[in-house]
Amino acid sequence: MGAVGSGLARAVGLAVLLATAPSLAARPYRGGAVATAYPPASEAALKMLEKGGNAVDAAVAAAFVAAVVGPYHSGVGGGGFALVHEAKTGDTRVLDFREVAPKAASRDMYLKDGALVPGLSTDGALSVAVPGAVAGYLELLATHGKLKPAVVLAPAIQWARQGFWVTPKYQQMATGRAECLRQDPEAARIFLVKDAQGAFGVPPVGHLLKQPDLARTLGLIAKGGAKAFYSGPVAQAMVKSVKDAGGVLTQEDLTAYKTRKATPLETTYRGHRILTMPPPSAGGLAVVQVLGMLQQLRPQGVPYRDPDSLHLYVEAVRRAYVDRAKYLGDPAFVQVPLERLTSPGHIADLAGSIDPKKATASASLLAPVTGGPASTLRRDGGPLTPEPEKKNTTHISVIDKDGNAVALTTTVNYSFGSCLVGKGTGVLLNDEMDDFAAQPGVPNAYGLVTGEPNAIQPGKVPLSSMSPTLVFAREDPKRVMMAVGSPGGSTIPTTVIQAITNVVDQGMDVTRAVGAGRLHHQYLPDELWVDRWGLEPATLATLEARGHKIRRLEAWGDAEAVYSDPRTNLRYSSSDPRNEGAALGQD
């Protein structure tokens, strides 16, 4: 079969195994450890570590491979956030390479006669924001990596050229976006297959999906750097495809794109230093606020699945999402009162406003956000019942043998992004414009409500739920104990919070921590989401008696975490058993 063929076979076999297995026990590694949502991406990361690369080399290699084998989650036409910790200096740095609104974007670009036009912000050319992934990945390499770009991109180029086998997850995600993909001949040609009647449909499991155009684009990037993506033939093709389809992305937008450095948000939880993503991430603020409230409300710890503590957790989350809706946007454009929102006094006020015996109706918290009753419709005109499993983001966690760590979350936003491909490039473009408040007070595709601070402006970064997070050892506040993150749209912060509390409060190993049943509330809709393994019937009944409206969901999120034991220095990795990922490491 050959090395490539056998690698493909191992990858698809592992993907199917992980997709159907309830759990896989974590094993210890003496060297580095990595967790991603795709076996080929994890293999690429491990290969970089074995070549002498560090955590950044591994994470970037995984991100480029993810762009090939998981186009429904992320890609070079998207963007993201990264936290990078350098063990030698003890420094942790943030890189924001999220997309920005094109210069021709406008506040009311998705409105007609004062009403939102369904689908404009999620499907097709007008939903495309300026991509930042390539600039971000290459800057991470240049600033922190050890290996050359050609080495780091080699696995992605190989997977694009040789092809990958369609998995159940690919089929699930493509089924949900098949009609959107059919609207662009290039996207349909690449990501769908023709049936006997010549109509494009979702490829079967096991179909070998090759992307020679993307392989060529990645090859140009490996040789020419970011310039090969943001100018020249690749950029010209992307701009023409967007313009021909009615979008506003220009060459000027691509040329002007710049990444942004930031200072991580910092807090402590049970003696552990925690660093997470600042705005324009709203997720990092939720992590800080909710952990802060839990620490104040339950200073001795949170008993596992205790109904009183679960109630307090849900109410804490509800209030964090209200702050998100009221205050958050791109800090380069709006004044975000971050110091106040993260202050002990404000967190104490939020915690103090919680009734320990009764749920707070979200309607009582709405007036400052919308000035009136909340909309019951999403931007696309559908009912406000978002499905969190339709996530379109992916996370990569790495800790190398020296203790360097990366938590990197990257996305194309909705499934398969805009469903628009730059002709001849293989680049699937994002639909990140939907993360803006297309109309303040009206929910986006994830049911999230944001206000005027997140309104559309040229060059502005849309608000994000992505929450890459690092947890440090209690014994050494400069030593990373855990790197964690997840996809899942609005559910990302709560997935990260629960993974952390499962480790810190419950003493779970990292496999159990990411696999345990989850709960989520986001203030709107006023529902407590519980996954199928989340709570026992008696506990659910207790929460319902307190006024929580329960909604049962199959599953959501895809947490990826690595853990370094402060006592033994052994490392463990875990990829969410709900999906198809792989957790690997060096012996």
Side-chain angles (χ1 to χ4, degrees):
M1 182 181 289
V4 172
S6 61
L8 282 165
R10 287 196 306 273
V12 75
L14 183 56
V16 172
L17 172 63
L18 287 167
T20 57
S23 66
L24 292 176
R27 57 158 292 188
Y29 298 102
R30 291 184 176 86
V34 56
T36 84
Y38 321 95
S42 295
E43 287 188 0
L46 187 60
K47 185 179 292 185
M48 296 304 113
L49 295 178
E50 290 172 344
K51 286 179 176 289
N54 60 19
V56 169
D57 298 306
V60 172
F64 274 114
V65 171
V68 176
V69 303
Y72 43 85
H73 283 163
S74 67
V76 294
F81 298 141
L83 267 68
V84 178
H85 177 74
E86 294 181 346
K88 187 175 182 179
T89 63
D91 293 336
T92 302
R93 301 176 185 178
V94 165
L95 186 65
D96 171 3
F97 51 96
R98 186 137 161 88
E99 304 91 328
V100 301
K103 291 187 176 181
S106 61
R107 184 185 185 281
D108 300 328
M109 63 190 290
Y110 300 118
L111 306 184
K112 184 176 181 179
D113 299 326
L116 285 169
V117 180
L120 275 187
S121 65
T122 58
D123 304 351
L126 205 58
S127 69
V128 177
V130 186
V134 171
Y137 298 161
L138 294 183
E139 183 172 341
L140 287 171
L141 276 185
T143 306
H144 305 286
K146 296 170 64 177
L147 303 177
K148 294 181 178 179
V151 175
V152 175
L153 270 76
I157 295 169
Q158 182 182 34
W159 282 104
R161 183 181 297 122
Q162 301 292 336
F164 68 93
W165 282 316
V166 167
T167 68
K169 176 58 69 175
Y170 182 101
Q171 195 175 54
Q172 174 197 348
M173 303 300 280
T175 297
R177 291 289 269 173
E179 188 55 41
C180 181
L181 290 167
R182 291 188 191 104
Q183 301 307 307
D184 177 41
E186 195 79 346
R189 177 182 66 83
I190 296 170
F191 300 114
L192 303 176
V193 293
K194 285 186 177 180
D195 60 20
Q197 290 72 43
F200 280 107
V202 176
V205 171
H207 171 77
L208 186 63
L209 197 153
K210 297 182 179 182
Q211 300 173 79
D213 292 341
L214 182 57
R216 284 192 294 272
T217 296
L218 292 172
L220 292 172
I221 294 169
K223 294 178 182 178
K227 185 177 180 181
F229 182 85
Y230 290 95
S231 63
V234 173
Q236 292 164 13
M238 290 191 294
V239 168
K240 185 177 188 305
S241 294
V242 171
K243 182 179 179 181
D244 290 349
V248 297
L249 182 72
T250 66
Q251 178 60 65
E252 184 181 3
D253 290 319
L254 293 172
T255 302
Y257 182 83
K258 295 186 184 302
T259 62
R260 298 153 297 277
K261 294 182 174 65
T263 301
L265 282 184
E266 181 168 353
T267 190
T268 59
Y269 185 65
R270 317 290 187 202
H272 292 273
R273 179 177 177 233
I274 293 176
L275 297 181
T276 188
M277 193 70 201
S281 165
L285 177 61
V287 170
V288 169
Q289 289 185 326
V290 174
L291 291 178
M293 282 184 266
L294 289 178
Q295 191 159 240
Q296 290 198 25
L297 293 164
R298 285 289 183 267
Q300 302 306 316
V302 180
Y304 185 63
R305 293 297 189 249
D306 166 56
D308 289 340
S309 297
L310 291 174
H311 168 75
L312 295 176
Y313 159 76
V314 173
E315 291 302 306
V317 170
R318 188 197 305 267
R319 283 154 176 77
Y321 277 75
V322 170
D323 270 1
R324 171 194 180 122
K326 288 167 67 173
Y327 300 114
L328 295 190
D330 182 353
F333 285 76
V334 298
Q335 187 171 359
V336 178
L338 193 60
E339 185 174 350
R340 180 174 71 82
L341 294 175
T342 58
S343 68
H346 180 69
I347 291 173
D349 288 343
L350 293 177
S353 72
I354 295 173
D355 185 330
K357 298 298 182 182
K358 184 180 178 182
T360 303
S362 286
S364 68
L365 305 171
L366 294 179
V369 182
T370 64
S375 170
T376 59
L377 298 179
R378 300 191 310 262
R379 290 182 195 171
D380 61 8
L384 183 50
T385 53
E387 298 294 336
E389 66 269 23
K390 292 182 178 178
K391 63 197 185 303
N392 325 291
T393 299
T394 198
H395 181 81
I396 296 161
S397 290
V398 186
I399 299 178
D400 66 25
K401 63 180 178 61
D402 297 317
N404 302 303
V406 176
L408 185 155
T409 313
T410 183
T411 187
V412 289
N413 196 37
Y414 213 48
S415 186
F416 287 93
S418 64
C419 304
L420 182 68
V421 173
K423 190 172 182 179
T425 68
V427 176
L428 180 64
L429 293 162
N430 68 83
D431 63 343
E432 207 62 67
M433 294 299 290
D434 187 65
D435 268 359
F436 284 110
Q439 189 173 29
V442 177
N444 70 359
Y446 298 101
L448 282 170
V449 174
T450 53
E452 196 62 42
N454 193 38
I456 299 169
Q457 287 180 258
K460 191 176 185 180
V461 181
L463 206 57
S464 172
S465 295
M466 294 186 292
S467 314
T469 300
L470 299 176
V471 181
F472 290 78
R474 186 184 287 112
E475 301 85 349
D476 184 351
K478 291 189 176 182
R479 180 176 178 179
V480 173
M481 182 182 80
M482 183 179 181
V484 62
S486 177
S490 58
T491 68
I492 292 173
T494 53
T495 298
V496 170
I497 291 164
Q498 288 168 95
I500 293 170
T501 59
N502 284 343
V503 169
V504 174
D505 285 318
Q506 312 307 331
M508 291 186 185
D509 62 68
V510 70
T511 297
R512 289 180 174 84
V514 303
R518 295 199 268 263
L519 292 79
H520 173 77
H521 202 296
Q522 60 186 50
Y523 138 77
L524 283 178
D526 194 349
E527 300 172 338
L528 171 54
W529 297 351
V530 182
D531 76 18
R532 63 181 295 188
W533 300 286
L535 295 175
E536 300 78 10
T539 306
L540 287 172
T542 301
L543 291 172
E544 285 182 311
R546 297 188 182 197
H548 295 287
K549 181 181 177 182
I550 307 294
R551 182 177 174 208
R552 300 301 296 268
L553 295 170
E554 183 67 19
W556 66 80
D558 194 353
E560 308 293 332
V562 291
Y563 177 87
S564 181
D565 191 318
R567 296 167 300 170
T568 65
N569 206 32
L570 293 174
R571 297 184 175 89
Y572 301 80
S573 57
S574 180
S575 181
D576 201 315
R578 295 165 180 81
N579 292 287
E580 298 176 349
L584 302 176
Q586 293 175 293
D587 289 320

